[in-house]
Amino acid sequence: MRLLIALILPWLTFFTIGKPIAGIICLALQITVIGWLPATIWAVYSLSQYKTDKKIEKALGQRGA
């Protein structure tokens, strides 16, 4: 679901992963027609990093238990 949001409304993705400052910057970038594509790429990349971070946290949590 977040991937679909990242493709349609890139700025909203940052708010869903807890990065509101980046969301505001992305919104400013998305307002321009030329900046929409870089904003989308940035949102998808950030979403993949967020998922990777969550997997690492989960793996470290299981290892420590």
Side-chain angles (χ1 to χ4, degrees):
M1 186 64 179
R2 283 186 176 152
L3 182 60
L4 184 62
I5 293 172
L7 295 173
I8 297 172
L9 298 170
W11 61 272
L12 188 57
T13 303
F14 291 101
F15 286 98
T16 65
I17 62 175
K19 297 183 177 183
I21 303 294
I24 293 168
I25 295 169
C26 188
L27 178 61
L29 184 62
Q30 186 182 350
I31 288 173
T32 65
V33 175
I34 296 171
W36 184 81
L37 183 60
T40 302
I41 293 169
W42 181 27
V44 171
Y45 174 75
S46 295
L47 183 59
S48 69
Q49 289 298 315
Y50 173 77
K51 289 181 179 181
T52 301
D53 290 345
K54 289 298 179 185
K55 287 179 183 177
I56 291 171
E57 287 177 12
K58 183 179 178 184
L60 290 177
Q62 290 177 350
R63 193 172 106 180

